[in-house]
Amino acid sequence: MTGAQADRNRRPGARRILDDLRQARVLVLHPQDEDGAILTEHLKRLGCAVTALWPLPAVLPPETDTIFVQVDDLPGEALSALLQDRTPAIIAIMTYETPTALQAITDLNAHGVISKPLRPFGILAQFVLARYRRGYEGRLAGKIQKLEETMKSRRLVDRAVKLMAELRGISDDEAYRLLRDQATAQRTSLTSIAEGLLAAEATLRGIGLTTTGK
């Protein structure tokens, strides 16, 4: 494969990256000086929707998904409080590697860093990297949440199986098959059947009755 052919094969992916950037809703938190103007104008040339604010606003503009923020002498907790439960991609801008700036980068879990004085070269790379890292974090968090939900469901089913086995005087395998068949008959999930059984048992115990004869 020639270099030209390889480049053509990469183009669809490159276009997707640029299309993603053009759909970004960017907030620039930087003093309105020469560096701020360079950054804002460069982002606009990329086709982004850009809002520039300074000092920090009381609330974030709606739909903001990427933030470029100057962290020099800016306590990280100030922006963290502003973010609340929002999770945008964050690119920190710093002049010097001061303890305050480094702490702010850590507190914000910045996805990228740009040093001053700002130049157009390098902004695009950090922009792409930050959005990729934020997307990866989001996908990873989704997988973790799904795994936690699966483990929670498994624990519920295990408890229900033990209860059914005790009620019927049967083995765990037989109890599991009974619950599974019930879920199939009702066209619902095994977890829902388990939750219903455990809830019923808890209700009976709450009024002084038992399901096991103990």
Side-chain angles (χ1 to χ4, degrees), residues 9-122:
N9 289 339
R10 287 194 296 266
R11 285 176 186 171
R15 282 198 295 269
R16 283 194 295 271
I17 291 173
L18 293 176
D19 287 343
D20 173 70
L21 296 184
R22 293 187 183 105
Q23 295 172 11
R25 297 294 182 267
V26 182
L27 174 63
V28 175
L29 297 176
H30 190 284
Q32 297 180 4
D33 53 16
E34 182 178 355
D35 282 321
I38 289 173
L39 176 59
T40 301
E41 290 304 315
H42 188 63
L43 292 172
K44 288 181 178 179
R45 283 196 296 271
L46 294 174
C48 307
V50 183
T51 301
L53 298 173
W54 191 261
L56 294 185
V59 295
L60 290 180
E63 300 182 359
T64 297
D65 57 29
T66 306
I67 298 177
F68 287 79
V69 55
Q70 176 173 290
V71 296
D72 296 323
D73 302 320
L74 175 67
E77 60 268 19
L79 184 55
S80 296
L82 178 62
L83 292 175
Q84 296 182 357
D85 59 348
R86 304 276 289 275
T87 56
I90 297 177
I91 299 96
I93 303 169
M94 58 191 303
T95 306
Y96 302 106
E97 294 177 340
T98 63
T100 299
L102 295 175
Q103 186 63 53
I105 291 173
T106 302
D107 292 342
L108 294 173
N109 189 28
H111 303 96
V113 179
I114 300 175
S115 60
K116 297 174 68 173
L118 294 181
R119 296 177 296 275
F121 180 78

Side-chain angles (χ1 to χ4, degrees), residues 89 109-112 128-139:
N109 189 28
H111 303 96
V128 171
L129 176 62
R131 288 180 64 82
Y132 171 80
R133 288 189 59 198
R134 175 63 196 94
Y136 175 77
E137 287 180 358
R139 292 190 296 273

Side-chain angles (χ1 to χ4, degrees), residues 134-205:
R134 175 63 196 94
Y136 175 77
E137 287 180 358
R139 292 190 296 273
L140 186 60
K143 290 179 180 179
I144 292 173
Q145 182 179 2
K146 186 175 181 180
L147 178 60
E148 290 175 343
E149 291 172 352
T150 299
M151 295 300 295
K152 180 181 178 181
S153 296
R154 181 59 183 268
R155 288 192 293 269
L156 283 173
V157 171
D158 286 346
R159 287 172 54 201
V161 165
K162 294 294 184 184
L163 177 59
M164 178 64 76
E166 188 175 4
L167 288 172
R168 294 292 186 90
I170 57 180
S171 69
D172 287 357
D173 287 343
E174 291 173 315
Y176 178 83
R177 285 194 292 270
L178 280 175
L179 293 175
R180 183 192 60 193
D181 292 345
Q182 188 70 13
T184 301
Q186 296 186 23
R187 296 183 179 180
T188 188
S189 68
L190 184 56
T191 301
S192 295
I193 294 297
E195 288 176 338
L197 177 60
L198 294 171
E201 196 267 346
T203 299
L204 290 175
R205 286 186 179 275

